[in-house]
Amino acid sequence: MHIHTIEGYIQNIYLVEYPDKLMLLDGCCRADVDTVFNYITEQLNRPLTDLKLIVVTHMHPDHAGGAHALRKLSGAKIATSNAPGQWYKGLDGILMHLADIALAWWVAGRLNKERRNLWYSRYLDADYYLATDSTLPDFDDWQALHTPGHTDRDISLYHIPTERIYIADLLVKVKGQLMPPFPVFYPKLYLNSLLMLKALKPQRIMFAHSNEMHIDDIDFEHILALVPKKPMTHWRSVKAKVRQALNLKRFSQS
């Protein structure tokens, strides 16, 4: 087993290679579909049909955006959490889907990337829905661990023999420091997910937006102190900015 790390549009792409099959540890951006296709066919000199499984750790644009297109091209199956329903359901879901795509474009701008088409379905049509601690279909050396908090359906992927884990957006690096991501919809679940990761003690941790790290290089006590007590979401941020603007207006008129 070999894990290839590929530079994606705004995130790392992890492609797992075996002699007879390939797996993507996340569904990438829509803008990454050609990148994955070219890497498999040109760098690895393998047919795209060797891609057998695409895992979607959660529904954000850089984790689910390319999944359906890559399945259509390769015939691979899609696996995801068995959380009930769809993340982007209802009117709130439509607005949040648009906001998340806009946020992905903002990240791309910070990375000096040109704006690309990131549109993807807000509903995921998966082939497998993974219970926590279940092994991945046809990749039984990998285990799906439910690590919600960022959303209600985040999963991390643990390679049992090497004790390596891909945690997607469970932690992000800002100005060189690991910290909770934005948003955190479920702070209590998020705290439990961090405590589970700490207790698991994997040898190495792979992140969606920073380089792989050894477990000993991570200061969990500092990170745990940063866990929010209340949800940090798009809507709360907007409301806080509106309140701040109104307060400034009242202050200037007084």
Side-chain angles (χ1 to χ4, degrees), residues 14-58:
Y14 295 102
L15 179 66
V16 185
E17 183 180 19
Y18 293 82
D20 59 336
K21 57 191 175 183
L22 302 168
M23 172 175 61
L24 276 172
L25 296 187
D26 230 332
C28 312
C29 289
R30 174 172 175 169
D32 294 316
V33 171
D34 287 344
T35 299
V36 172
F37 178 89
N38 292 334
Y39 194 91
I40 291 173
T41 57
E42 297 176 11
Q43 299 296 318
L44 301 184
N45 196 28
R46 298 180 64 149
L48 194 60
T49 52
D50 278 0
L51 181 61
K52 301 301 183 185
L53 188 67
I54 303 161
V55 184
V56 172
T57 62
H58 60 289

Side-chain angles (χ1 to χ4, degrees), residues 101-228:
I101 290 174
L103 181 60
W105 275 330
W106 179 83
V107 172
R110 294 291 299 271
L111 296 173
N112 296 318
K113 300 286 185 74
E114 65 180 20
R115 181 169 290 199
R116 303 278 301 278
N117 182 7
L118 298 182
W119 185 258
Y120 68 109
S121 174
R122 61 191 175 95
Y123 289 161
L124 182 67
D125 175 26
D127 301 284
Y128 304 110
Y129 294 90
L130 306 169
T132 193
D133 298 334
S134 63
T135 56
L136 301 187
D138 299 320
F139 294 84
D140 58 8
D141 50 337
W142 288 86
Q143 189 176 27
L145 304 176
H146 285 210
T147 50
H150 180 46
T151 73
D152 68 343
R153 61 199 60 220
D154 297 69
I155 55 176
S156 296
L157 303 173
Y158 181 54
H159 188 241
I160 301 166
T162 61
E163 300 182 16
R164 281 171 90 180
I165 189 169
Y166 170 60
I167 64 169
D169 286 349
L170 186 63
L171 290 169
V172 296
K173 188 173 282 188
V174 177
K175 297 181 179 179
Q177 297 295 319
L178 287 175
M179 59 182 56
F182 180 85
V184 174
F185 277 85
Y186 306 97
K188 291 182 180 179
L189 293 178
Y190 179 75
L191 176 61
N192 289 338
S193 295
L194 281 182
L195 291 173
M196 183 279 294
L197 178 64
K198 181 184 177 185
L200 181 66
K201 296 181 180 178
Q203 288 297 307
R204 300 193 67 82
I205 298 178
M206 294 175 283
F207 306 89
H209 299 284
S210 56
N211 295 330
E212 184 175 354
M213 294 179 67
H214 192 277
I215 187 70
D216 292 340
D217 296 327
I218 297 177
D219 185 350
F220 274 98
E221 299 309 315
H222 174 71
I223 295 168
L224 289 169
L226 299 176
V227 174

